[in-house]
Amino acid sequence: MNKLFIIGNVANDPEYHMTNADKSVCEFQVAVNRRIRRDDDPEADFFRVVTFGKTADVCAKYVTKGKKISVLGAIQFNKYTDKNGINRVSHSVYADTVEFLSPRETEEKKSKYGFEEVSNDGLPF
């Protein structure tokens, strides 16, 4: 079974396009922090995530750089030869499920009682 589960931050705004068969595709990278640090500098692994269909449509609309998300999917490795004749390997996560973990952004901040939050800066007292 080939299943990969990652939680991380979106590293770039998504690229959205349609295939020749009119299937939507959305691609973006997710940075996943490593537990072990080298010289106290945080390190991350970057995963290229590919989504299709309705998931791609939703990701294109709501995924933006910096958002925290979780991805469940299969990882696929591709071998290729670059323009200099060097053999390379790339990987992509073909997502089955994407969950948005960052809180929703709202136009106005409201308390749990429905009142709008106000700063003290413009008050006359």
Side-chain angles (χ1 to χ4, degrees):
M1 179 185 293
N2 179 358
K3 286 289 180 186
L4 177 72
F5 179 70
I6 58 173
I7 295 176
N9 295 318
V10 179
N12 63 313
D13 287 327
E15 296 177 16
Y16 180 77
H17 61 275
M18 302 294 282
T19 66
N20 293 338
D22 281 340
K23 190 170 188 178
S24 52
V25 180
C26 185
E27 302 176 35
F28 51 91
Q29 285 190 336
V30 176
V32 178
N33 290 331
R34 293 182 181 175
R35 288 180 177 233
I36 299 173
R37 295 178 174 213
R38 184 177 296 157
D39 299 326
D40 287 333
D41 291 330
E43 291 188 14
D45 293 308
F46 291 83
F47 294 87
R48 181 173 169 256
V49 177
V50 183
T51 60
F52 298 96
K54 290 182 181 180
T55 304
D57 297 338
V58 171
C59 286
K61 187 173 182 179
Y62 295 109
V63 170
T64 56
K65 182 177 178 179
K67 297 282 186 171
K68 184 171 284 297
I69 63 171
S70 72
V71 177
L72 176 64
I75 191 164
Q76 182 175 328
F77 292 90
N78 301 304
K79 295 179 183 180
Y80 67 96
T81 304
D82 69 9
K83 62 183 178 182
N84 297 323
I86 299 172
N87 292 329
R88 303 273 186 184
V89 177
S90 69
H91 68 276
S92 298
V93 178
Y94 289 86
D96 297 323
T97 305
V98 175
E99 290 187 43
F100 304 102
L101 303 177
S102 291
R104 285 187 187 171
E105 294 178 3
T106 58
E107 292 181 24
E108 50 185 71
K109 293 182 180 179
K110 293 187 177 183
S111 73
K112 65 180 179 180
Y113 301 108
F115 297 107
E116 188 174 332
E117 186 177 320
V118 179
S119 69
N120 291 334
D121 293 342
L123 297 178
F125 49 89

